[in-house]
């Protein structure tokens, strides 16, 4: 199948698919006599795995590692689970940071009169050290 078929089936753009190929993330497709890439069901599976891993927070390099696990018949599910659990810890940390950011910004916003005056607790709060 051609790249536009793959793009339609995976929800990725042709540019993204070529990028993943150029970076060696997916296995290289065969080339037809005319030089066009010929993708298979294996490529669809690889691209789905990469796309879905990105949607749940894994980086591209982590997605590459998960793809390597998917290709390894000797993989241990414990290793895959450990990666997923580590990602959950990172996501929890990021959520905590975002909540702290939100609380700080909410507090500063509540202090600001939002009027025509120059005094602005938001600017003053952002200028303070610590």
């Amino acid at each position: 199948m051609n790249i536009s078929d793959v793009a339609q089936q995976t929800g990725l753009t042709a540019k993204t698919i070529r990028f993943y190929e150029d970076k060696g993330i997916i296995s290289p497709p065969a080339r037809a006599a005319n030089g066009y890439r010929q993708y298979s069901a294996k490529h669809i599976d690889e691209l789905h795995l990469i796309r879905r891993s990105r949607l749940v927070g894994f980086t591209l390099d982590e997605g590459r590692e998960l793809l390597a696990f998917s290709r390894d018949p000797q993989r241990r599910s414990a290793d895959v689970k450990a990666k997923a659990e580590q990602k959950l810890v990172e996501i929890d940390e990021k959520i905590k940071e975002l909540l702290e950011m939100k609380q700080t910004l909410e507090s500063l916003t509540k202090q600001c009169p939002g009027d025509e005056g120059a005094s602005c607790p938001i600017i003053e709060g952002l200028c303070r050290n610590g």
Side-chain angles (χ1 to χ4, degrees):
M1 78 188 78
N2 65 33
I3 198 163
S4 62
D5 295 331
V6 174
Q8 185 175 17
Q9 288 186 40
T10 61
L12 298 168
T13 65
K15 183 177 179 178
T16 299
I17 295 166
R18 282 189 215 100
F19 174 79
Y20 289 165
E21 181 188 342
D22 291 344
K23 294 293 181 185
I25 294 168
I26 63 170
S27 54
R31 296 282 182 155
N34 61 7
Y36 288 2
R37 295 168 175 89
Q38 293 294 303
Y39 296 93
S40 67
K42 175 181 81 167
H43 294 104
I44 299 291
D45 291 342
E46 291 176 350
L47 290 164
H48 276 301
L49 187 148
I50 293 296
R51 182 174 184 267
R52 290 177 182 151
S53 69
R54 302 282 289 143
L55 289 174
V56 297
F58 287 101
T59 66
L60 197 50
D61 284 337
E62 291 166 335
R64 182 192 319 252
E65 291 177 50
L66 292 171
L67 190 54
F69 278 130
S70 78
R71 293 173 178 153
D72 182 1
Q74 303 300 316
R75 71 178 172 262
R76 294 174 356 115
S77 67
D79 295 334
V80 179
K81 183 176 181 176
K83 281 236 169 271
E85 287 174 335
Q86 177 57 41
K87 183 51 62 179
L88 284 171
V89 168
E90 292 172 18
I91 289 170
D92 283 338
E93 289 171 1
K94 192 173 283 189
I95 289 170
K96 182 182 174 199
E97 289 173 8
L98 287 169
L99 287 172
E100 289 172 2
M101 290 167 55
K102 181 181 183 220
Q103 289 171 349
T104 299
L105 192 54
E106 281 177 340
S107 175
L108 291 171
T109 302
K110 286 177 184 174
Q111 295 172 38
C112 184
D115 58 17
E116 300 298 319
S119 175
C120 181
I122 298 171
I123 295 295
E124 293 162 8
L126 293 174
C127 288
R128 275 189 247 132
N129 187 10

